[in-house]
Every structure is written in structure tokens, then in C-alpha cells.
Amino acid sequence: MVRRLKDMDVELLSMEKIGGAHAGNISRIDALSEKKKVRYIYKEFADERNKEVEIHRNIADIVNPFSRVVRIWDDPPQAMLMWDLGSPIKAGFEIQSSDEKRRSIGHILTRLTSLHCMDAVQTKLPVHQLSSEWRDWCLDQLGKLCSRKSWTSPGWERTILEAYERLDIPHYQTKCPPVITHGDPHLENVFYKDDEIWFIDWEWAAIGSPLRDVTILMQDVYEDELITFVPEFYLQCMRERGIILDGDDFSSDLGYLYIDHLTMMLAWEVEKYFEGYLSEQRIREIIEWKIGEIERVQTEVMDRKNK
């Protein structure tokens, strides 16, 4: 790292490790560049989590307006240098008022709309497909949790199995016109800096339904009113860009992708609980909310299919 900074005529002043167990080594750096103090984040990728290097290399012209990357090193150890964006939007989001939350989400959705309107024709990105991956991971996580805690319910696993089986989620083909999606814009990956929204962690970027990003953003929302607000505001943003999405296609993608991502994030939240990042009370609240949402959305999707 020091050698790489020196090659950029950047002098390291201090460094603080800030974690990154699932992505490699991440450090916050204070440095001198052109006689000015600057603050960077240096991210050294784990071998199995280095997809982001290829993403930035293949679609740099698309990613750069939405991120603050300074430099990518493709030679070992693969790494990235980006501007320090401060704290993610998730920090403090839960204590905001409903109006403040709507404003924050509105800014993010407006920014996502700009990404989704980028030309996707020439990109070297994979195509996102639903599968059984998140269902299998979540069932495994809940099985581990149920074997350790008496307050758990076997009904949680039944709810997930029923949703995937009755809706045949692994074989669902999205209906909205495909766009470039970030793939993981939950609030820990979204920052507000210099009057703009920025996204980090692009390793899951792919061509897919715009509802892919919308429903992942919804994973940090735990209020009925805001859950309704998110897709409605996104549709408004697209209309303002002159893009009209078919209502039935939009609702269908919303339901299927929301259930899939509720399941994915449920597994991830259980993992964070196992690692000591969430309290027992909080993980119970999260599970009950997300299971309730899966049940609600499954009922809505089935009702539409039966009409």
C-alpha cells in the first residue's frame, strides 16, 4: 500500500484498519497529495471477493459517475483506493423522522434512476437470474438458529419454503425492461457526500430488472408507509425521465424480487447476529418483520395471479 501511494506521489500520514471481514482488508488513510491533506479508503480484496475489480475495469465509464474510486490495482494483491465518504446513510437512519427517511430514500431512488437510464447495450455485465440460492442459504441459517435458540419458530422456514414453491420463484423471468443494476444498494453501501449520493461495493452489478435495486434498498425499511413509498416514488422518478413501466410487469417484478431479497437479507442478518453485530432482541424483530412481509407479499402475488 505504501509503495502504491508513493507511486502516485501520495505520502501516507496515518492508517486505521476499519474491518472488512467479508471483503478483505479495509483501511482509512490520512495522506498528503499535492501538499493537501486527503482522506482515502484503501480496500484490499480477499481472493474470493474480487469481482469488483473486474466490474470497475469493464464498465468504468458507467460506475465512475456513481462512485468515488481513485485507483484500481489489478496485480496482486488486488486493491482499490477511493475517497473516504464518511458514514453510510444507514448510520442514524433508524432514528430519523418519517419525513427525513422519505427524503433520504427519495435522493437514493433519484440516483438509482440515473444509473438505470444508462445505456446497457455494450456492457460486459452478467445477466441477473433468480435462483434457489438465497432460499437455501436462509433455510440453512434459520436451521442453525433454531438449533441454538428456544424462541425461534419452525414456521419461519415453512413460510419461506411455501413462498418459493407456490410462486416458483427460482424459475421466474423478470418482465421489466433490463437495465444496469448496482445489485446491492442497501443503506450500508450508500453514502451522502458533497451534496450527492454515492454507491460502494459494486461486485453484484448486473443487467436485470430495475426492481432488483429497488427491493434491495427496501431491506433497511421497517415501516409500512415507507414500504409503499419506495416503489411509488421510483415510478415517479422514471416517469419524470420519460420512461413508463407497465404496471402489471412492475408489480410482478416487485413481488418476486422483494421476496427473494427479503430471504437473502434475512440470512445475512442472522449471520450478523451469529458474529455478534446484532442483539437477540433486534434479530427477533428483524426476522418477524421480514417473515411477515414474505407472507404479505406472497398473498398479494397469489391474489393477482388468481384474478
Side-chain angles (χ1 to χ4, degrees), residues 130 162-170 172-173 175 211 215 218 247-260 262 292-307:
L130 278 82
E162 180 182 333
Y164 275 78
E165 289 174 2
R166 292 187 69 188
L167 301 181
D168 196 18
I169 290 174
Y172 178 74
Q173 299 295 314
K175 303 180 184 304
L211 276 302
T215 54
M218 292 166 68
D248 290 339
D249 291 349
F250 185 90
S251 295
S252 183
D253 283 5
L254 175 65
Y256 278 83
L257 286 161
Y258 187 36
I259 289 176
D260 197 44
L262 282 162
E293 283 294 277
I294 291 171
E295 292 172 341
R296 176 185 67 82
V297 177
Q298 178 192 326
T299 299
E300 291 178 356
V301 172
M302 292 301 300
D303 287 346
R304 284 198 302 269
K305 288 168 70 75
N306 292 331
K307 281 184 179 178

mmCIF file of all heavy atoms in Angstrom, residues 130 162-170 172-173 175 211 215 218 247-260 262 292-307:
data_model
loop_
_atom_site.group_PDB
_atom_site.id
_atom_site.type_symbol
_atom_site.label_atom_id
_atom_site.label_comp_id
_atom_site.label_asym_id
_atom_site.label_seq_id
_atom_site.Cartn_x
_atom_site.Cartn_y
_atom_site.Cartn_z
ATOM 1 N N LEU A 130 -33.040 -15.038 -11.083
ATOM 2 C CA LEU A 130 -33.438 -15.578 -9.787
ATOM 3 C C LEU A 130 -33.085 -17.058 -9.728
ATOM 4 O O LEU A 130 -33.037 -17.738 -10.760
ATOM 5 C CB LEU A 130 -34.930 -15.391 -9.547
ATOM 6 C CG LEU A 130 -35.337 -14.000 -9.025
ATOM 7 C CD1 LEU A 130 -35.440 -12.991 -10.158
ATOM 8 C CD2 LEU A 130 -36.653 -14.078 -8.271
ATOM 9 N N GLU A 162 -42.799 -22.332 1.417
ATOM 10 C CA GLU A 162 -44.094 -22.188 0.744
ATOM 11 C C GLU A 162 -44.058 -21.091 -0.303
ATOM 12 O O GLU A 162 -44.576 -21.258 -1.415
ATOM 13 C CB GLU A 162 -45.185 -21.892 1.774
ATOM 14 C CG GLU A 162 -46.563 -21.734 1.156
ATOM 15 C CD GLU A 162 -47.632 -21.400 2.180
ATOM 16 O OE1 GLU A 162 -47.467 -21.770 3.358
ATOM 17 O OE2 GLU A 162 -48.622 -20.760 1.790
ATOM 18 N N ALA A 163 -43.451 -19.962 0.036
ATOM 19 C CA ALA A 163 -43.388 -18.845 -0.915
ATOM 20 C C ALA A 163 -42.634 -19.246 -2.178
ATOM 21 O O ALA A 163 -43.088 -18.982 -3.304
ATOM 22 C CB ALA A 163 -42.722 -17.638 -0.256
ATOM 23 N N TYR A 164 -41.494 -19.880 -2.015
ATOM 24 C CA TYR A 164 -40.683 -20.259 -3.181
ATOM 25 C C TYR A 164 -41.358 -21.348 -4.004
ATOM 26 O O TYR A 164 -41.242 -21.356 -5.243
ATOM 27 C CB TYR A 164 -39.289 -20.702 -2.735
ATOM 28 C CG TYR A 164 -38.329 -19.544 -2.553
ATOM 29 C CD1 TYR A 164 -38.390 -18.742 -1.421
ATOM 30 C CD2 TYR A 164 -37.385 -19.236 -3.530
ATOM 31 C CE1 TYR A 164 -37.530 -17.670 -1.251
ATOM 32 C CE2 TYR A 164 -36.514 -18.166 -3.373
ATOM 33 C CZ TYR A 164 -36.591 -17.382 -2.230
ATOM 34 O OH TYR A 164 -35.742 -16.319 -2.077
ATOM 35 N N GLU A 165 -42.053 -22.268 -3.338
ATOM 36 C CA GLU A 165 -42.703 -23.357 -4.060
ATOM 37 C C GLU A 165 -43.977 -22.891 -4.753
ATOM 38 O O GLU A 165 -44.202 -23.188 -5.936
ATOM 39 C CB GLU A 165 -43.001 -24.507 -3.104
ATOM 40 C CG GLU A 165 -41.746 -25.247 -2.647
ATOM 41 C CD GLU A 165 -42.030 -26.295 -1.585
ATOM 42 O OE1 GLU A 165 -43.228 -26.470 -1.232
ATOM 43 O OE2 GLU A 165 -41.082 -26.937 -1.113
ATOM 44 N N ARG A 166 -44.827 -22.158 -4.042
ATOM 45 C CA ARG A 166 -46.107 -21.742 -4.625
ATOM 46 C C ARG A 166 -45.913 -20.746 -5.766
ATOM 47 O O ARG A 166 -46.659 -20.775 -6.758
ATOM 48 C CB ARG A 166 -47.010 -21.135 -3.552
ATOM 49 C CG ARG A 166 -47.493 -22.141 -2.517
ATOM 50 C CD ARG A 166 -48.510 -21.508 -1.591
ATOM 51 N NE ARG A 166 -49.768 -21.212 -2.294
ATOM 52 C CZ ARG A 166 -50.764 -20.515 -1.770
ATOM 53 N NH1 ARG A 166 -50.665 -20.046 -0.527
ATOM 54 N NH2 ARG A 166 -51.867 -20.292 -2.448
ATOM 55 N N LEU A 167 -44.911 -19.866 -5.638
ATOM 56 C CA LEU A 167 -44.668 -18.868 -6.677
ATOM 57 C C LEU A 167 -43.621 -19.322 -7.687
ATOM 58 O O LEU A 167 -43.402 -18.639 -8.690
ATOM 59 C CB LEU A 167 -44.224 -17.550 -6.032
ATOM 60 C CG LEU A 167 -45.202 -16.922 -5.031
ATOM 61 C CD1 LEU A 167 -44.645 -15.611 -4.495
ATOM 62 C CD2 LEU A 167 -46.563 -16.703 -5.668
ATOM 63 N N ASP A 168 -42.968 -20.447 -7.415
ATOM 64 C CA ASP A 168 -41.892 -20.952 -8.279
ATOM 65 C C ASP A 168 -40.856 -19.848 -8.551
ATOM 66 O O ASP A 168 -40.475 -19.598 -9.705
ATOM 67 C CB ASP A 168 -42.475 -21.476 -9.601
ATOM 68 C CG ASP A 168 -41.470 -22.349 -10.359
ATOM 69 O OD1 ASP A 168 -40.494 -22.822 -9.734
ATOM 70 O OD2 ASP A 168 -41.632 -22.518 -11.583
ATOM 71 N N ILE A 169 -40.421 -19.234 -7.485
ATOM 72 C CA ILE A 169 -39.511 -18.094 -7.592
ATOM 73 C C ILE A 169 -38.222 -18.424 -8.337
ATOM 74 O O ILE A 169 -37.758 -17.614 -9.164
ATOM 75 C CB ILE A 169 -39.218 -17.522 -6.189
ATOM 76 C CG1 ILE A 169 -40.485 -16.843 -5.645
ATOM 77 C CG2 ILE A 169 -38.044 -16.535 -6.208
ATOM 78 C CD1 ILE A 169 -40.378 -16.351 -4.215
ATOM 79 N N PRO A 170 -37.575 -19.593 -8.130
ATOM 80 C CA PRO A 170 -36.304 -19.850 -8.823
ATOM 81 C C PRO A 170 -36.394 -19.821 -10.346
ATOM 82 O O PRO A 170 -35.380 -19.643 -11.021
ATOM 83 C CB PRO A 170 -35.911 -21.250 -8.328
ATOM 84 C CG PRO A 170 -36.568 -21.377 -6.988
ATOM 85 C CD PRO A 170 -37.888 -20.669 -7.161
ATOM 86 N N TYR A 172 -38.652 -17.799 -12.062
ATOM 87 C CA TYR A 172 -39.327 -16.574 -12.514
ATOM 88 C C TYR A 172 -38.426 -15.790 -13.461
ATOM 89 O O TYR A 172 -37.235 -15.596 -13.202
ATOM 90 C CB TYR A 172 -39.692 -15.710 -11.312
ATOM 91 C CG TYR A 172 -40.351 -14.394 -11.691
ATOM 92 C CD1 TYR A 172 -41.664 -14.361 -12.134
ATOM 93 C CD2 TYR A 172 -39.653 -13.190 -11.601
ATOM 94 C CE1 TYR A 172 -42.279 -13.166 -12.480
ATOM 95 C CE2 TYR A 172 -40.248 -11.992 -11.937
ATOM 96 C CZ TYR A 172 -41.563 -11.978 -12.384
ATOM 97 O OH TYR A 172 -42.154 -10.791 -12.737
ATOM 98 N N GLN A 173 -38.999 -15.327 -14.550
ATOM 99 C CA GLN A 173 -38.299 -14.474 -15.503
ATOM 100 C C GLN A 173 -38.826 -13.045 -15.355
ATOM 101 O O GLN A 173 -40.020 -12.804 -15.504
ATOM 102 C CB GLN A 173 -38.527 -14.960 -16.939
ATOM 103 C CG GLN A 173 -38.012 -16.371 -17.188
ATOM 104 C CD GLN A 173 -36.503 -16.460 -17.060
ATOM 105 O OE1 GLN A 173 -35.757 -15.624 -17.581
ATOM 106 N NE2 GLN A 173 -36.033 -17.484 -16.360
ATOM 107 N N LYS A 175 -39.868 -9.208 -15.901
ATOM 108 C CA LYS A 175 -40.665 -8.703 -17.011
ATOM 109 C C LYS A 175 -40.318 -7.269 -17.420
ATOM 110 O O LYS A 175 -40.523 -6.884 -18.569
ATOM 111 C CB LYS A 175 -42.151 -8.783 -16.654
ATOM 112 C CG LYS A 175 -42.602 -10.206 -16.296
ATOM 113 C CD LYS A 175 -44.067 -10.257 -15.959
ATOM 114 C CE LYS A 175 -44.500 -11.653 -15.502
ATOM 115 N NZ LYS A 175 -44.191 -12.685 -16.492
ATOM 116 N N LEU A 211 -36.262 -3.366 -10.561
ATOM 117 C CA LEU A 211 -36.795 -3.711 -9.237
ATOM 118 C C LEU A 211 -35.785 -4.487 -8.399
ATOM 119 O O LEU A 211 -35.952 -4.617 -7.185
ATOM 120 C CB LEU A 211 -38.093 -4.502 -9.373
ATOM 121 C CG LEU A 211 -39.385 -3.695 -9.557
ATOM 122 C CD1 LEU A 211 -39.586 -2.731 -8.397
ATOM 123 C CD2 LEU A 211 -39.410 -2.948 -10.883
ATOM 124 N N THR A 215 -35.828 -3.293 -4.574
ATOM 125 C CA THR A 215 -36.217 -4.189 -3.486
ATOM 126 C C THR A 215 -35.067 -4.465 -2.516
ATOM 127 O O THR A 215 -35.310 -4.798 -1.359
ATOM 128 C CB THR A 215 -36.762 -5.522 -4.036
ATOM 129 O OG1 THR A 215 -35.811 -6.105 -4.936
ATOM 130 C CG2 THR A 215 -38.078 -5.306 -4.765
ATOM 131 N N MET A 218 -35.135 -1.577 -0.157
ATOM 132 C CA MET A 218 -36.237 -1.717 0.793
ATOM 133 C C MET A 218 -35.869 -2.565 2.011
ATOM 134 O O MET A 218 -36.612 -2.584 2.999
ATOM 135 C CB MET A 218 -37.457 -2.328 0.084
ATOM 136 C CG MET A 218 -38.088 -1.410 -0.951
ATOM 137 S SD MET A 218 -39.262 -2.236 -2.068
ATOM 138 C CE MET A 218 -40.598 -2.628 -0.939
ATOM 139 N N GLY A 247 -47.575 -1.395 -15.577
ATOM 140 C CA GLY A 247 -47.970 -1.574 -14.181
ATOM 141 C C GLY A 247 -47.968 -3.019 -13.724
ATOM 142 O O GLY A 247 -47.504 -3.330 -12.622
ATOM 143 N N ASP A 248 -48.475 -3.931 -14.578
ATOM 144 C CA ASP A 248 -48.513 -5.343 -14.209
ATOM 145 C C ASP A 248 -47.102 -5.922 -14.120
ATOM 146 O O ASP A 248 -46.785 -6.689 -13.200
ATOM 147 C CB ASP A 248 -49.348 -6.144 -15.208
ATOM 148 C CG ASP A 248 -50.837 -5.822 -15.121
ATOM 149 O OD1 ASP A 248 -51.270 -5.317 -14.060
ATOM 150 O OD2 ASP A 248 -51.556 -6.061 -16.102
ATOM 151 N N ASP A 249 -46.251 -5.565 -15.083
ATOM 152 C CA ASP A 249 -44.868 -6.053 -15.071
ATOM 153 C C ASP A 249 -44.132 -5.535 -13.846
ATOM 154 O O ASP A 249 -43.383 -6.277 -13.191
ATOM 155 C CB ASP A 249 -44.129 -5.604 -16.333
ATOM 156 C CG ASP A 249 -44.644 -6.288 -17.587
ATOM 157 O OD1 ASP A 249 -45.420 -7.257 -17.462
ATOM 158 O OD2 ASP A 249 -44.270 -5.845 -18.694
ATOM 159 N N PHE A 250 -44.354 -4.268 -13.539
ATOM 160 C CA PHE A 250 -43.701 -3.649 -12.378
ATOM 161 C C PHE A 250 -44.127 -4.350 -11.086
ATOM 162 O O PHE A 250 -43.287 -4.724 -10.260
ATOM 163 C CB PHE A 250 -44.068 -2.164 -12.327
ATOM 164 C CG PHE A 250 -43.358 -1.395 -11.249
ATOM 165 C CD1 PHE A 250 -42.133 -0.785 -11.493
ATOM 166 C CD2 PHE A 250 -43.918 -1.251 -9.981
ATOM 167 C CE1 PHE A 250 -41.480 -0.062 -10.496
ATOM 168 C CE2 PHE A 250 -43.281 -0.544 -8.987
ATOM 169 C CZ PHE A 250 -42.047 0.057 -9.242
ATOM 170 N N SER A 251 -45.420 -4.564 -10.924
ATOM 171 C CA SER A 251 -45.930 -5.207 -9.715
ATOM 172 C C SER A 251 -45.428 -6.638 -9.594
ATOM 173 O O SER A 251 -45.106 -7.106 -8.495
ATOM 174 C CB SER A 251 -47.460 -5.187 -9.708
ATOM 175 O OG SER A 251 -47.941 -3.860 -9.641
ATOM 176 N N SER A 252 -45.356 -7.333 -10.723
ATOM 177 C CA SER A 252 -44.892 -8.718 -10.702
ATOM 178 C C SER A 252 -43.424 -8.797 -10.284
ATOM 179 O O SER A 252 -43.060 -9.556 -9.380
ATOM 180 C CB SER A 252 -45.080 -9.346 -12.088
ATOM 181 O OG SER A 252 -44.695 -10.705 -12.074
ATOM 182 N N ASP A 253 -42.570 -7.992 -10.919
ATOM 183 C CA ASP A 253 -41.146 -7.986 -10.556
ATOM 184 C C ASP A 253 -40.958 -7.548 -9.111
ATOM 185 O O ASP A 253 -40.113 -8.100 -8.390
ATOM 186 C CB ASP A 253 -40.364 -7.051 -11.475
ATOM 187 C CG ASP A 253 -40.096 -7.658 -12.842
ATOM 188 O OD1 ASP A 253 -40.596 -8.764 -13.128
ATOM 189 O OD2 ASP A 253 -39.386 -7.013 -13.647
ATOM 190 N N LEU A 254 -41.724 -6.560 -8.698
ATOM 191 C CA LEU A 254 -41.627 -6.071 -7.328
ATOM 192 C C LEU A 254 -41.888 -7.201 -6.334
ATOM 193 O O LEU A 254 -41.116 -7.400 -5.387
ATOM 194 C CB LEU A 254 -42.624 -4.931 -7.106
ATOM 195 C CG LEU A 254 -42.737 -4.372 -5.678
ATOM 196 C CD1 LEU A 254 -41.433 -3.709 -5.242
ATOM 197 C CD2 LEU A 254 -43.900 -3.381 -5.583
ATOM 198 N N GLY A 255 -42.951 -7.964 -6.542
ATOM 199 C CA GLY A 255 -43.302 -9.018 -5.605
ATOM 200 C C GLY A 255 -42.274 -10.133 -5.548
ATOM 201 O O GLY A 255 -41.820 -10.530 -4.471
ATOM 202 N N TYR A 256 -41.884 -10.633 -6.714
ATOM 203 C CA TYR A 256 -40.944 -11.761 -6.748
ATOM 204 C C TYR A 256 -39.566 -11.370 -6.228
ATOM 205 O O TYR A 256 -38.953 -12.090 -5.426
ATOM 206 C CB TYR A 256 -40.838 -12.308 -8.169
ATOM 207 C CG TYR A 256 -41.954 -13.259 -8.525
ATOM 208 C CD1 TYR A 256 -43.187 -12.781 -8.963
ATOM 209 C CD2 TYR A 256 -41.773 -14.633 -8.419
ATOM 210 C CE1 TYR A 256 -44.220 -13.645 -9.289
ATOM 211 C CE2 TYR A 256 -42.793 -15.514 -8.745
ATOM 212 C CZ TYR A 256 -44.016 -15.017 -9.176
ATOM 213 O OH TYR A 256 -45.039 -15.889 -9.482
ATOM 214 N N LEU A 257 -39.052 -10.229 -6.678
ATOM 215 C CA LEU A 257 -37.718 -9.814 -6.256
ATOM 216 C C LEU A 257 -37.698 -9.393 -4.792
ATOM 217 O O LEU A 257 -36.701 -9.616 -4.088
ATOM 218 C CB LEU A 257 -37.224 -8.679 -7.153
ATOM 219 C CG LEU A 257 -36.807 -9.131 -8.556
ATOM 220 C CD1 LEU A 257 -36.766 -7.955 -9.520
ATOM 221 C CD2 LEU A 257 -35.463 -9.831 -8.532
ATOM 222 N N TYR A 258 -38.782 -8.815 -4.317
ATOM 223 C CA TYR A 258 -38.842 -8.419 -2.903
ATOM 224 C C TYR A 258 -38.777 -9.657 -2.007
ATOM 225 O O TYR A 258 -38.032 -9.683 -1.028
ATOM 226 C CB TYR A 258 -40.116 -7.620 -2.660
ATOM 227 C CG TYR A 258 -40.221 -6.999 -1.278
ATOM 228 C CD1 TYR A 258 -39.100 -6.503 -0.607
ATOM 229 C CD2 TYR A 258 -41.458 -6.890 -0.642
ATOM 230 C CE1 TYR A 258 -39.204 -5.928 0.655
ATOM 231 C CE2 TYR A 258 -41.574 -6.305 0.611
ATOM 232 C CZ TYR A 258 -40.452 -5.829 1.248
ATOM 233 O OH TYR A 258 -40.557 -5.253 2.502
ATOM 234 N N ILE A 259 -39.519 -10.701 -2.343
ATOM 235 C CA ILE A 259 -39.470 -11.926 -1.535
ATOM 236 C C ILE A 259 -38.065 -12.534 -1.573
ATOM 237 O O ILE A 259 -37.518 -12.948 -0.540
ATOM 238 C CB ILE A 259 -40.512 -12.950 -2.020
ATOM 239 C CG1 ILE A 259 -41.926 -12.476 -1.670
ATOM 240 C CG2 ILE A 259 -40.259 -14.323 -1.388
ATOM 241 C CD1 ILE A 259 -43.031 -13.362 -2.192
ATOM 242 N N ASP A 260 -37.464 -12.585 -2.761
ATOM 243 C CA ASP A 260 -36.126 -13.159 -2.878
ATOM 244 C C ASP A 260 -35.107 -12.384 -2.053
ATOM 245 O O ASP A 260 -34.249 -12.962 -1.385
ATOM 246 C CB ASP A 260 -35.706 -13.190 -4.347
ATOM 247 C CG ASP A 260 -34.538 -14.136 -4.601
ATOM 248 O OD1 ASP A 260 -34.553 -15.261 -4.065
ATOM 249 O OD2 ASP A 260 -33.614 -13.754 -5.340
ATOM 250 N N LEU A 262 -35.851 -10.284 0.543
ATOM 251 C CA LEU A 262 -36.178 -10.439 1.957
ATOM 252 C C LEU A 262 -35.508 -11.695 2.508
ATOM 253 O O LEU A 262 -34.944 -11.697 3.613
ATOM 254 C CB LEU A 262 -37.692 -10.539 2.154
ATOM 255 C CG LEU A 262 -38.494 -9.247 2.087
ATOM 256 C CD1 LEU A 262 -39.975 -9.547 1.869
ATOM 257 C CD2 LEU A 262 -38.307 -8.410 3.349
ATOM 258 N N GLY A 292 -43.092 -11.650 8.109
ATOM 259 C CA GLY A 292 -44.408 -11.058 7.894
ATOM 260 C C GLY A 292 -44.548 -10.451 6.509
ATOM 261 O O GLY A 292 -45.600 -10.575 5.860
ATOM 262 N N GLU A 293 -43.482 -9.808 6.021
ATOM 263 C CA GLU A 293 -43.501 -9.231 4.675
ATOM 264 C C GLU A 293 -43.567 -10.324 3.608
ATOM 265 O O GLU A 293 -44.272 -10.179 2.609
ATOM 266 C CB GLU A 293 -42.253 -8.370 4.459
ATOM 267 C CG GLU A 293 -42.312 -7.013 5.119
ATOM 268 C CD GLU A 293 -43.376 -6.129 4.494
ATOM 269 O OE1 GLU A 293 -43.098 -5.499 3.456
ATOM 270 O OE2 GLU A 293 -44.498 -6.077 5.046
ATOM 271 N N ILE A 294 -42.831 -11.405 3.797
ATOM 272 C CA ILE A 294 -42.896 -12.513 2.833
ATOM 273 C C ILE A 294 -44.319 -13.066 2.755
ATOM 274 O O ILE A 294 -44.852 -13.304 1.661
ATOM 275 C CB ILE A 294 -41.892 -13.625 3.228
ATOM 276 C CG1 ILE A 294 -40.454 -13.137 3.017
ATOM 277 C CG2 ILE A 294 -42.144 -14.900 2.399
ATOM 278 C CD1 ILE A 294 -39.400 -14.067 3.570
ATOM 279 N N GLU A 295 -44.957 -13.237 3.909
ATOM 280 C CA GLU A 295 -46.331 -13.744 3.928
ATOM 281 C C GLU A 295 -47.279 -12.763 3.237
ATOM 282 O O GLU A 295 -48.139 -13.178 2.438
ATOM 283 C CB GLU A 295 -46.772 -13.980 5.376
ATOM 284 C CG GLU A 295 -46.038 -15.123 6.054
ATOM 285 C CD GLU A 295 -46.332 -15.230 7.533
ATOM 286 O OE1 GLU A 295 -46.819 -14.226 8.130
ATOM 287 O OE2 GLU A 295 -46.093 -16.306 8.115
ATOM 288 N N ARG A 296 -47.120 -11.482 3.533
ATOM 289 C CA ARG A 296 -47.993 -10.461 2.933
ATOM 290 C C ARG A 296 -47.841 -10.420 1.420
ATOM 291 O O ARG A 296 -48.841 -10.442 0.674
ATOM 292 C CB ARG A 296 -47.663 -9.086 3.522
ATOM 293 C CG ARG A 296 -48.468 -7.949 2.882
ATOM 294 C CD ARG A 296 -48.044 -6.589 3.400
ATOM 295 N NE ARG A 296 -46.695 -6.209 3.016
ATOM 296 C CZ ARG A 296 -46.373 -5.684 1.829
ATOM 297 N NH1 ARG A 296 -47.316 -5.519 0.893
ATOM 298 N NH2 ARG A 296 -45.137 -5.335 1.566
ATOM 299 N N VAL A 297 -46.608 -10.385 0.942
ATOM 300 C CA VAL A 297 -46.370 -10.240 -0.493
ATOM 301 C C VAL A 297 -46.777 -11.512 -1.235
ATOM 302 O O VAL A 297 -47.333 -11.438 -2.340
ATOM 303 C CB VAL A 297 -44.891 -9.891 -0.761
ATOM 304 C CG1 VAL A 297 -44.622 -9.820 -2.258
ATOM 305 C CG2 VAL A 297 -44.542 -8.559 -0.096
ATOM 306 N N GLN A 298 -46.544 -12.669 -0.638
ATOM 307 C CA GLN A 298 -46.979 -13.910 -1.285
ATOM 308 C C GLN A 298 -48.490 -13.891 -1.494
ATOM 309 O O GLN A 298 -48.975 -14.252 -2.578
ATOM 310 C CB GLN A 298 -46.599 -15.121 -0.441
ATOM 311 C CG GLN A 298 -47.076 -16.433 -1.052
ATOM 312 C CD GLN A 298 -46.972 -17.605 -0.099
ATOM 313 O OE1 GLN A 298 -46.069 -17.660 0.711
ATOM 314 N NE2 GLN A 298 -47.904 -18.536 -0.190
ATOM 315 N N THR A 299 -49.224 -13.467 -0.484
ATOM 316 C CA THR A 299 -50.679 -13.393 -0.607
ATOM 317 C C THR A 299 -51.086 -12.436 -1.724
ATOM 318 O O THR A 299 -51.970 -12.748 -2.541
ATOM 319 C CB THR A 299 -51.303 -12.939 0.727
ATOM 320 O OG1 THR A 299 -50.982 -13.885 1.748
ATOM 321 C CG2 THR A 299 -52.811 -12.818 0.598
ATOM 322 N N GLU A 300 -50.431 -11.268 -1.804
ATOM 323 C CA GLU A 300 -50.751 -10.289 -2.845
ATOM 324 C C GLU A 300 -50.452 -10.830 -4.232
ATOM 325 O O GLU A 300 -51.244 -10.648 -5.170
ATOM 326 C CB GLU A 300 -49.972 -8.997 -2.592
ATOM 327 C CG GLU A 300 -50.434 -8.231 -1.359
ATOM 328 C CD GLU A 300 -49.613 -6.980 -1.112
ATOM 329 O OE1 GLU A 300 -48.633 -6.752 -1.874
ATOM 330 O OE2 GLU A 300 -49.937 -6.227 -0.167
ATOM 331 N N VAL A 301 -49.312 -11.494 -4.379
ATOM 332 C CA VAL A 301 -48.948 -12.057 -5.688
ATOM 333 C C VAL A 301 -49.943 -13.146 -6.090
ATOM 334 O O VAL A 301 -50.397 -13.192 -7.243
ATOM 335 C CB VAL A 301 -47.505 -12.607 -5.666
ATOM 336 C CG1 VAL A 301 -47.199 -13.355 -6.966
ATOM 337 C CG2 VAL A 301 -46.500 -11.486 -5.462
ATOM 338 N N MET A 302 -50.304 -14.016 -5.164
ATOM 339 C CA MET A 302 -51.250 -15.080 -5.471
ATOM 340 C C MET A 302 -52.618 -14.519 -5.827
ATOM 341 O O MET A 302 -53.281 -15.022 -6.751
ATOM 342 C CB MET A 302 -51.372 -16.041 -4.286
ATOM 343 C CG MET A 302 -50.126 -16.863 -3.997
ATOM 344 S SD MET A 302 -49.616 -17.905 -5.392
ATOM 345 C CE MET A 302 -51.038 -18.945 -5.608
ATOM 346 N N ASP A 303 -53.035 -13.465 -5.132
ATOM 347 C CA ASP A 303 -54.318 -12.846 -5.443
ATOM 348 C C ASP A 303 -54.321 -12.284 -6.876
ATOM 349 O O ASP A 303 -55.308 -12.422 -7.598
ATOM 350 C CB ASP A 303 -54.626 -11.724 -4.454
ATOM 351 C CG ASP A 303 -55.021 -12.261 -3.072
ATOM 352 O OD1 ASP A 303 -55.300 -13.478 -2.976
ATOM 353 O OD2 ASP A 303 -55.030 -11.473 -2.109
ATOM 354 N N ARG A 304 -53.193 -11.654 -7.266
ATOM 355 C CA ARG A 304 -53.125 -11.103 -8.636
ATOM 356 C C ARG A 304 -53.137 -12.230 -9.665
ATOM 357 O O ARG A 304 -53.772 -12.110 -10.711
ATOM 358 C CB ARG A 304 -51.855 -10.258 -8.804
ATOM 359 C CG ARG A 304 -51.916 -8.893 -8.153
ATOM 360 C CD ARG A 304 -50.850 -7.966 -8.696
ATOM 361 N NE ARG A 304 -49.512 -8.509 -8.503
ATOM 362 C CZ ARG A 304 -48.769 -8.269 -7.431
ATOM 363 N NH1 ARG A 304 -49.252 -7.493 -6.457
ATOM 364 N NH2 ARG A 304 -47.562 -8.768 -7.314
ATOM 365 N N LYS A 305 -52.428 -13.312 -9.364
ATOM 366 C CA LYS A 305 -52.373 -14.433 -10.312
ATOM 367 C C LYS A 305 -53.741 -15.104 -10.474
ATOM 368 O O LYS A 305 -54.059 -15.643 -11.540
ATOM 369 C CB LYS A 305 -51.349 -15.462 -9.833
ATOM 370 C CG LYS A 305 -49.908 -15.013 -9.966
ATOM 371 C CD LYS A 305 -48.960 -15.928 -9.221
ATOM 372 C CE LYS A 305 -48.828 -17.285 -9.847
ATOM 373 N NZ LYS A 305 -47.994 -17.235 -11.078
ATOM 374 N N ASN A 306 -54.551 -15.068 -9.414
ATOM 375 C CA ASN A 306 -55.851 -15.758 -9.461
ATOM 376 C C ASN A 306 -56.971 -14.903 -10.037
ATOM 377 O O ASN A 306 -58.090 -15.401 -10.201
ATOM 378 C CB ASN A 306 -56.227 -16.216 -8.047
ATOM 379 C CG ASN A 306 -55.303 -17.305 -7.539
ATOM 380 O OD1 ASN A 306 -54.751 -18.085 -8.324
ATOM 381 N ND2 ASN A 306 -55.107 -17.359 -6.226
ATOM 382 N N LYS A 307 -56.678 -13.645 -10.306
ATOM 383 C CA LYS A 307 -57.726 -12.768 -10.855
ATOM 384 C C LYS A 307 -57.956 -13.094 -12.335
ATOM 385 O O LYS A 307 -57.048 -13.407 -13.066
ATOM 386 C CB LYS A 307 -57.302 -11.295 -10.710
ATOM 387 C CG LYS A 307 -57.520 -10.781 -9.283
ATOM 388 C CD LYS A 307 -57.193 -9.295 -9.207
ATOM 389 C CE LYS A 307 -57.435 -8.761 -7.805
ATOM 390 N NZ LYS A 307 -57.085 -7.333 -7.672
#
